[in-house]
Structure formats: structure tokens, C-alpha cells
Amino acid sequence: VMPLFFSFLYLLMNIVASLPKDHKFYVSTTTLDFKEASASIQITSQFFIDDIEMLLREFHEEIQLAPDSDKTKVDVLFEGVLKQYFRIQIDNQDQDFNYLGREYKNEILQCYFELNVPESAQILRVQNSMLFSLFEEQQNILHFKSKEGRKSALLYKGKEHEVFSLY
């Protein structure tokens, strides 16, 4: 009985050791904070580092994050990917945002960018399809904050944008 138990235990440990070490869910969060006084939206996004690394490797195979293989190259690639998959319209006009930078916090890549809001703007449309091309299960959560309160939305493949009222 004892050898059978140890054989089973050995088999179980090998199975567990061979399981993928990746996280089991695919989610990002983005907070859009509308600052009426400065007519800007401050944006913070959080992604799993390994997911962004996999996405960037579609453009440059040798890229590595945390630690970065080449900080300048990572910034250029990441900003390009961000502008490809994260788009903002105000009153049906495409807007360009300013990429401010990024940092690592444990397993998370946190990035910052900002958008100037035109005077008399009313409607904000946010598209975030980051990582949808890699993961069917990817979900991107949006939190929009203004003096009116906080609204949240869940984006996924097939529902890639949300509309918020600025006032």
C-alpha cells in the first residue's frame, strides 16, 4: 500500500509541477479621471506584465519586460500598441492622448496618460481592445470618474467601447 501511495504522490506532484504558471484570468483595469478644472482626463491602466510582454513580442521577438531588455524600445513599442488598441473620441472626434510613462508594481504594468478635453465637450467614447487579439477571455474594465460620480463598464471581444457623459 505504501509504495502505491508514494507512486501516486510522485505522479500528482509531477502533474502539478507541469501545470502552466500563468494567471488564470485575463483582465485589465483603466481609470479615467475627468478633471474639469484643468479640462483634462488623467488615465491610469493596469495590465499583467506577462500579457503585455506577449503582445509586444508580436512586434519584436526579443523584447523583455521587468526588467526591460531595452527601456527606450519598450516605451516606443508600448506607446504604439496603446495608441492602436486604446482609442478615445470626444463628441465623435478622435483624440490623441499624451503617454506619460509606466512602472511595474509586482506582476502589474501600470501606465499613465493624459488627454486634453476641448471646451464644451459633452460625450466621451472609450475603446479599449487591448489584448483581445491574444486572449478570447480578455476583459477590460473601465472606471470613469467625474464630479458627477463614478461609472464603470466591462469591455470584451464584441463589446469594445463604452460611452460616458462628461457632464
Side-chain angles (χ1 to χ4, degrees):
V1 171
M2 209 56 145
L4 185 60
F5 172 75
F6 284 115
S7 295
F8 175 75
L9 187 60
Y10 176 77
L11 179 64
L12 184 62
M13 288 175 67
N14 280 326
I15 290 171
V16 169
S18 69
L19 291 175
K21 309 292 186 269
D22 297 340
H23 52 88
K24 291 182 173 62
F25 56 97
Y26 300 95
V27 67
S28 76
T29 60
T30 298
T31 302
L32 302 104
D33 195 356
F34 178 40
K35 302 289 188 184
E36 193 175 342
S38 62
S40 67
I41 298 174
Q42 297 172 352
I43 305 166
T44 304
S45 288
Q46 298 178 319
F47 305 96
F48 284 106
I49 294 169
D50 57 336
D51 293 346
I52 295 299
E53 187 174 68
M54 189 181 299
L55 183 61
L56 295 181
R57 284 184 177 163
E58 290 185 349
F59 304 95
H60 191 280
E61 287 181 19
E62 291 85 37
I63 209 80
Q64 179 186 329
L65 305 182
D68 293 349
S69 53
D70 181 333
K71 184 182 178 336
T72 304
K73 189 172 284 189
V74 169
D75 278 333
V76 168
L77 282 172
F78 183 64
E79 183 178 0
V81 164
L82 198 59
K83 291 190 177 203
Q84 178 179 348
Y85 293 109
F86 192 94
R87 297 178 184 242
I88 297 178
Q89 288 185 340
I90 295 179
D91 296 335
N92 295 319
Q93 298 295 314
D94 290 334
Q95 302 294 310
D96 197 22
F97 54 80
N98 299 317
Y99 173 71
L100 303 175
R102 63 186 168 82
E103 63 183 328
Y104 302 123
K105 294 186 175 185
N106 298 319
E107 299 294 314
I108 302 296
L109 180 150
Q110 190 161 311
C111 65
Y112 309 96
F113 42 113
E114 189 174 38
L115 171 72
N116 293 321
V117 177
E119 199 174 322
S120 75
Q122 296 295 312
I123 303 294
L124 175 71
R125 182 183 186 273
V126 181
Q127 175 189 320
N128 184 357
S129 58
M130 288 287 286
L131 302 168
F132 289 173
S133 63
L134 289 180
F135 308 113
E136 281 293 319
E137 313 85 14
Q138 179 68 35
Q139 297 180 329
N140 296 330
I141 300 168
L142 298 178
H143 300 295
F144 176 71
K145 298 188 319 188
S146 70
K147 71 177 190 175
E148 309 298 318
R150 179 182 169 134
K151 295 180 182 161
S152 296
L154 179 65
L155 304 181
Y156 47 88
K157 198 176 256 187
K159 183 189 186 297
E160 292 153 0
H161 73 273
E162 185 64 39
V163 175
F164 300 100
S165 176
L166 289 170
Y167 296 97

